[in-house]
Amino acid sequence: MGSSKPPIDPVRWQAPPVEPLPEFPGADLALIDVPGGDPEDVVVDSAGHLWVGARNGNIVRFRPDGTAPEVIANTGGRPLGLGFARDGRLLICDSPRGLLALDTATGRIETLVTSIAGRRLMFCSNVTETADGTVYFTESTSAFAIDWYMGAILEARGRGALHRLNSDGTVTTLVDGLYFANGVTPTADGSALVFAETQGRRLSKYWLTGPRAGSVTPLAVHLPAMPDNLSTGADGRIWCAMVTPASPLADRLAAGPPLMRKLIWRLPERLQPKPEAVVWAVAFDPDSGQAVAGITMIHPNFCMATGLVEANGRLWLGSIGGPHLGWVPLPA
């Protein structure tokens, strides 16, 4: 982590209310070591192999059963959200390196986006390619890279966005003013993208087709936790990794004097408030936004689930809370 902490410019912000979700049960969680640690996202390729991005920059491939980890490349930054393109390339959101593409056969990494409207893309968060070959990606904040993500939370400014990468390499911003934009995934029918705002604690739809194309509608709001990466399940369910429960303390601080958050920001990291450690994943109906399946539990060696994907009858979980990839039997 860089030595000089960037300044923050906090504002008073009223956090959304919290509405409970159904009480989902725990599950048997198996853990797999990841070379390089802390696999923020996990995706599956057309052959069923699992891919993760590790804290040290490694891009790691596993067999479909989670064995035989193989380091395919290293981004030189911090890989976050991942997504496969139709041509087999692995799209990688890296902070602070931008949007990258990995040739999985050769290990060669190509840079797709490093700046937007003349400013550096420091916190590319998640990426997806739709069936027509269009690439969409989120930016959590324009002000900080991943090492200083807590600065974005303490500021409580809507500096996040959803962008489209055009075929000529230019970028169009589709939605801005988002509160820590994060996961993005297309609905199974391709009619919309679902995207998450971690600080806004909501999932929304950006419509791609039909009379609402180009507009945003809410899907699941007032979530009792911070939503992170998303993925679309085989039956169209939208899986959401809940990184940590909503914090009443953080909400009170956001509504209070900005000076208090500036003082907290100056504290050594070990003295700053810590996220609550749970394992939480929820599947939402893509039309109603109802929570239809999930897992919630405490585990001694796994917490802060940030990415997830259905594969091989299992729900695989990435995490920034430790060096493991986890899996549970796929919740019905």
Side-chain angles (χ1 to χ4, degrees):
M1 193 176 280
S3 52
S4 61
K5 200 180 264 195
I8 64 170
D9 182 20
V11 289
R12 283 183 190 259
W13 180 67
Q14 194 59 55
V18 166
E19 292 172 5
L21 288 171
E23 292 282 328
F24 293 112
D28 274 340
L29 179 68
L31 299 182
I32 294 163
D33 286 336
V34 173
D38 296 36
E40 201 268 349
D41 199 11
V42 53
V43 292
V44 63
D45 66 19
S46 56
H49 292 98
L50 299 150
W51 293 76
V52 304
R55 187 181 64 240
N56 73 345
N58 282 347
I59 303 294
V60 187
R61 179 176 64 200
F62 294 85
R63 287 185 186 153
D65 63 357
T67 61
E70 189 180 354
V71 177
I72 303 299
N74 188 290
T75 65
R78 174 48 159 130
L80 299 169
L82 309 173
F84 274 100
R86 291 177 311 164
D87 62 10
R89 290 181 304 163
L90 179 63
L91 304 172
I92 303 165
C93 290
D94 186 281
S95 181
R97 288 203 51 209
L99 182 61
L100 316 174
L102 168 69
D103 181 324
T104 58
T106 65
R108 198 177 80 84
I109 291 177
E110 172 192 3
T111 303
L112 301 180
V113 182
T114 55
S115 65
I116 294 171
R119 58 173 179 78
R120 190 167 165 214
L121 174 60
M122 290 189 293
F123 204 142
C124 188
S125 194
N126 201 273
V127 60
T128 194
E129 186 183 281
T130 51
D132 65 0
T134 309
V135 172
Y136 299 89
F137 63 97
T138 55
E139 178 181 22
S140 290
T141 168
S142 58
F144 305 92
I146 180 71
D147 282 351
W148 306 112
Y149 80 91
M150 190 56 80
I153 299 295
L154 287 170
E155 271 200 345
R157 286 179 180 271
R159 299 193 198 262
L162 173 67
H163 305 288
R164 182 180 68 221
L165 175 59
N166 305 312
S167 52
D168 63 0
T170 60
V171 172
T172 302
T173 299
L174 302 175
V175 190
D176 59 13
L178 300 177
Y179 284 86
F180 211 92
N182 207 321
V184 59
T185 190
T187 56
D189 64 5
S191 64
L193 300 171
V194 178
F195 65 89
E197 289 171 86
T198 302
Q199 186 164 31
R201 299 199 296 254
R202 64 187 169 196
L203 307 185
S204 303
K205 276 182 166 177
Y206 176 83
W207 292 90
L208 298 172
T209 63
R212 289 179 286 193
S215 70
V216 175
T217 59
L219 179 64
V221 299
H222 303 163
L223 297 175
M226 316 287 272
D228 205 291
N229 288 328
L230 307 174
S231 65
T232 306
D235 59 358
R237 297 184 292 187
I238 305 296
W239 277 105
C240 176
M242 300 287 202
V243 64
T244 189
S247 160
L249 171 62
D251 289 355
R252 282 199 301 276
L253 285 169
L259 178 63
M260 180 63 81
R261 281 169 281 150
K262 284 190 173 181
L263 295 174
I264 289 172
W265 182 234
R266 290 183 192 145
L267 291 173
E269 195 182 359
R270 67 179 196 287
L271 298 178
Q272 289 176 6
K274 288 287 175 289
E276 191 183 333
V278 299
V279 186
W280 201 350
V282 180
F284 294 92
D285 182 281
D287 301 312
S288 69
Q290 290 298 113
V292 291
I295 55 162
T296 317
M297 61 186 185
I298 308 283
H299 191 280
N301 303 115
F302 192 90
C303 66
M304 296 181 77
T306 44
L308 71 187
V309 69
E310 284 183 14
N312 319 314
R314 299 171 175 178
L315 181 67
W316 297 86
L317 300 167
S319 160
I320 55 166
H324 303 108
L325 179 64
W327 67 265
V328 297
L330 185 61

